[in-house]
Amino acid sequence: MKVHINTDVCAGFGICVGICPEVFELHDDGYATVLVGEVPPELEDLVRRAESQCPAQAILISGDSSQ
Ligand code: SF4
């Protein structure tokens, strides 16, 4: 699984960082960035939760074999 942030719509709420700080980090410019290339399997559920709770729907998941 890979995850990307659409920085055009990310509003920097930081909810993703609160849910999974191992994967998401808040950039100084006010949007989230992704720290990993491939999401470790044990963090996939947290990344899915972050995706579903992001108010801006800025989190894009690709290559998720469970969907
Ligand atoms: S929760 Fe969504 S809007 Fe907020 S920082 Fe993360 S990606 Fe951006």
Side-chain angles (χ1 to χ4, degrees):
M1 176 204 276
K2 291 186 185 343
V3 62
H4 301 279
I5 303 288
N6 181 351
T7 53
D8 289 342
V9 298
C10 169
F13 294 114
I15 293 167
C16 54
V17 182
I19 292 173
C20 192
E22 296 90 344
V23 170
F24 302 103
E25 183 177 65
L26 214 47
H27 194 269
D28 288 344
D29 291 344
Y31 53 82
T33 54
V34 175
L35 299 172
V36 298
E38 191 76 24
V39 177
E42 66 272 21
L43 297 177
E44 289 187 352
D45 281 349
L46 287 176
V47 168
R48 286 188 201 102
R49 193 184 308 165
E51 180 213 27
S52 68
Q53 294 192 14
C54 170
Q57 297 178 338
I59 298 175
L60 309 170
I61 289 174
S62 60
D64 186 349
S65 54
S66 77
Q67 286 185 346

